[in-house]
Amino acid sequence: MDAAQGPRSVLAAAAVVYAIAGTLWCAVVTIRDRTTPALAGMVVAGTPTEPGEALLGAAFSGLFSAFMLASSASLVTIGLTLAISGGVAAPVAGLATLIAAAPIVGALASREVIPAVIYFPTLLIGLALLLGWS
């Protein structure tokens, strides 16, 4: 095994976790797209929405938390691996890693994190790789 295989293996594993997190996000958006209009129709018709709405909200919360934690952890891993291996300039990878770690800290502290926080490190790492910022 050569020295480059270690970071490549870590990057591949983190990319798989990131893809799984993306699938969770797609599930959240798809389910919300189907259920929100149905719940709104029930409210307009005067049909009670509880306890089903509370159960649905808890399921959304679990899926969203899994998405945020998995995507944050994978981006932290990708950022650190790229910084250590020299795949991307250390300041760029470090900044992406710090931003990607924020949702983990936010989820543990307040349990409230907006998904847009995860978009910036994804964009930053993607641009750095595409533009060859090393």
Side-chain angles (χ1 to χ4, degrees):
M1 180 166 102
D2 67 7
Q5 280 184 307
R8 283 188 205 133
S9 298
V10 172
L11 288 172
V16 168
V17 172
Y18 190 78
I20 292 168
T23 303
L24 292 171
W25 180 239
C26 289
V28 168
V29 172
T30 301
I31 295 168
R32 191 181 323 157
D33 182 57
R34 302 294 296 160
T35 57
T36 301
L39 288 171
M42 290 173 71
V43 169
V44 168
T47 307
T49 59
E50 290 297 331
E53 189 174 358
L55 182 60
L56 190 59
F60 277 140
S61 179
L63 280 173
F64 180 76
S65 295
F67 152 70
M68 284 303 290
L69 292 175
S71 59
S72 293
S74 66
L75 284 169
V76 166
T77 303
I78 290 169
L80 286 175
T81 304
L82 289 173
I84 292 168
S85 68
V88 173
V92 174
L95 178 62
T97 301
L98 286 174
I99 296 168
I104 296 171
V105 174
L108 296 175
S110 69
R111 303 187 55 87
E112 292 292 327
V113 179
I114 60 171
V117 172
I118 229 48
Y119 302 157
F120 186 68
T122 302
L123 177 68
L124 193 57
I125 289 171
L127 281 175
L129 290 171
L130 285 172
L131 299 175
W133 294 342
S134 53

